[in-house]
Amino acid sequence: MFLVSFLWPTTFLLYFMSAIIGFGASVIWTGQGAYLTLNSDSSTMSRNSGIFWALLQMSMFLGNTFVFFVLRDKNHLDESTRTLVFTVLIAVCFLGTLLFLLLRSPVSSEGTENERGETLSPIQEIKNSFTLFLTEDMCLLNMSFFFTGLHLSFYSGVYSSSIGFTTTMGTNSKQLVGLSGILIGVGEILGGFLFSILGKKSSDNNIESKGFSHSAVVALGFIINIVAYGLIFINLPDDSPFGDTTAKSFIEPNQYLAILCSFLLGFGDSCFNTQIYNVIGQRYSENSAPAMALFKFMQSIAAAISFFYSNHFGMYVQLILLVITLIMGTLSFFKVDKSIDNR
C-alpha cells in the first residue's frame, strides 16, 4: 500500500501510508525474528541469522543498483520513470509477500501458543512483554537496540544525502548518492555472510567461544563504526545534511573516502544486528516474539528521534551522539553476552 501510493503522490497519502507501513513493519519484523528463532538452535542460530541478514540486505545492493541506472543522467524524476521504479518495487513486494505463504509452520508456534507450548491471551502476552522489558538483561540490550536505530536512520536517511549535498565533492556528487547506497548494501551483505560462516565454524569445531565470538564481532563493529564516524567527521561539512553546500570541511571532501565510509557503515551495522539476533535467539529462545518486538520497538523509537533531530543538528553533533550511544551500546552488549556465557 505504501509503494502503490507513490503512483499518485500526495502529501496526505505519504503521511498516512507511512503510518501504515510502520505498523506493518512492526508485525513482519516480530514475526520474522520469532520464526528465525523457532527454526534455529544454539548450533545454527549464528549461521541462520547471518544468512537472514545478508539476504535481507540484498535489497540495499539490488535496489540501489536498479535506481542508480534508471535515474542515470536524469535531473528530474518524470512521471514515466517514477511509474517504472515503483511498479517494479510493487511487483517484488507482492511476490515476496506471497512467498511467506510457502514457509513451513514451526510445530511449537501453532495457534496462540508461545514457544513453551503455553496458550496465552493477548493481554497476557502484553503483560509478559512489559515484564520482559524491565528485566536487567533487556534493559542493557535496549541500549544496543537504541544505537542500531540511530545508526540505521543515519546511513539510510542522512549520510548518502549529505554526500549529494556536498557540491565540493565534484560535479557528480548527486550520482554518488546511489553509489553510496550500493556500497552500504555491499558492506551489509559481506558482513552477514562472513559472520554466518564464522559462526558455523565455531559450532562445527565445538569451540567453547560462544560469548567471545559474539563480543568479538561487536568489538569489530565498534572499531569499524568509530573509524567511519571519524572519517566522515573530517570529510563532510557540518551543514551537509541540510542542503547543497560549498562549506569547507577539515579536509578537501573526497568522494572515494565518502564511498569507503558507506561500506564501513554497512559492515559495522551488520556486526551489531547479526549478533543481536544471535543473543536474542539464545537468551530468549523460549520467549522470542516479545523479545524481537521489544528490539524493533526500541530501534524504531531511536530511528524516529534521529530523523527528527537530523533536521536541526549538523553533521558533527549527529556523529557525537552516535559515538556516545555506540560506546554505551557496545558495553551493554558485552555485559549481557558475558552473562549468557556464564549460564
Side-chain angles (χ1 to χ4, degrees):
M1 291 172 62
F2 176 75
L3 291 170
V4 170
S5 70
F6 281 90
L7 297 177
W8 303 278
T10 62
T11 302
F12 171 76
L13 272 181
L14 174 62
Y15 286 115
F16 180 70
M17 291 303 174
S18 294
I20 294 295
I21 197 174
F23 177 80
S26 67
V27 175
I28 197 171
W29 274 104
T30 301
Q32 286 177 157
Y35 186 84
L36 177 66
T37 301
L38 289 167
N39 286 282
S40 306
D41 54 35
S42 60
S43 65
T44 60
M45 189 65 200
S46 180
R47 180 199 66 189
N48 293 348
S49 60
I51 293 174
F52 164 73
W53 190 255
L55 292 176
L56 165 70
Q57 297 301 334
M58 285 293 290
S59 62
M60 288 285 293
F61 175 74
L62 296 177
N64 279 287
T65 301
F66 167 64
V67 173
F68 178 79
F69 285 106
V70 170
L71 300 184
R72 187 172 54 181
D73 301 325
K74 289 182 179 289
N75 295 319
H76 174 69
L77 184 63
D78 55 78
E79 184 176 353
S80 61
T81 304
R82 186 184 73 240
T83 301
L84 170 64
V85 169
F86 285 101
T87 299
V88 171
L89 295 179
I90 290 168
V92 172
C93 181
F94 180 74
L95 291 174
T97 303
L98 288 182
L99 287 176
F100 274 107
L101 300 176
L102 303 180
L103 296 176
R104 67 178 184 179
S105 297
V107 176
S108 59
S109 64
E110 297 293 335
T112 58
E113 295 181 347
N114 67 356
E115 287 86 335
R116 293 184 297 269
E118 302 167 342
T119 302
L120 301 175
S121 67
I123 299 299
Q124 186 60 46
E125 287 281 15
I126 293 175
K127 289 181 179 179
N128 288 348
S129 296
F130 277 111
T131 302
L132 180 62
F133 183 77
L134 298 175
T135 60
E136 179 181 358
D137 282 355
M138 185 56 71
C139 286
L140 289 169
L141 283 175
N142 281 335
M143 197 64 248
S144 301
F145 301 162
F146 193 84
F147 162 71
T148 62
L150 296 187
H151 187 78
L152 166 67
S153 60
F154 179 75
Y155 75 70
S156 65
V158 176
Y159 180 64
S160 295
S161 299
S162 297
I163 295 176
F165 290 144
T166 306
T167 57
T168 51
M169 191 79 68
T171 56
N172 63 335
S173 62
K174 302 299 182 186
Q175 293 180 337
L176 293 176
V177 174
L179 189 58
S180 172
I182 292 173
L183 265 294
I184 291 172
V186 170
E188 297 274 17
I189 295 167
L190 179 62
F193 280 127
L194 178 63
F195 304 138
S196 171
I197 294 172
L198 291 178
K200 183 178 181 180
K201 283 184 177 179
S202 296
S203 298
D204 289 346
N205 294 332
N206 296 318
I207 298 174
E208 294 297 333
S209 59
K210 178 175 59 176
F212 173 77
S213 62
H214 294 163
S215 295
V217 173
V218 168
L220 174 63
F222 174 84
I223 295 171
I224 293 292
N225 284 326
I226 285 292
V227 171
Y229 297 155
L231 293 177
I232 294 170
F233 189 88
I234 64 175
N235 194 43
L236 295 184
D238 186 41
D239 63 348
S240 56
F242 304 133
D244 288 342
T245 178
T246 58
K248 294 182 178 180
S249 52
F250 289 93
I251 63 174
E252 185 70 22
N254 185 291
Q255 56 183 260
Y256 298 105
L257 188 58
I259 295 304
L260 171 64
C261 290
S262 298
F263 172 80
L264 294 178
L265 290 174
F267 191 84
D269 186 58
S270 69
C271 290
F272 272 83
N273 279 280
T274 55
Q275 301 316 302
I276 285 175
Y277 276 102
N278 267 321
V279 166
I280 291 178
Q282 292 186 15
R283 175 66 179 83
Y284 304 103
S285 59
E286 296 184 350
N287 205 21
S288 62
M292 289 293 178
L294 292 174
F295 169 36
K296 302 312 296 185
F297 174 74
M298 288 302 298
Q299 191 178 63
S300 299
I301 287 179
I305 292 173
S306 178
F307 277 118
F308 173 77
Y309 71 58
S310 64
N311 292 321
H312 304 281
F313 295 157
M315 178 64 71
Y316 299 160
V317 173
Q318 293 190 48
L319 290 172
I320 291 172
L321 291 174
L322 283 168
V323 169
I324 293 173
T325 54
L326 169 61
I327 294 172
M328 297 175 66
T330 301
L331 294 177
S332 298
F333 183 92
F334 286 168
K335 184 171 178 57
V336 174
D337 195 34
K338 184 178 180 181
S339 70
I340 294 174
D341 195 37
N342 291 335
R343 281 188 170 85

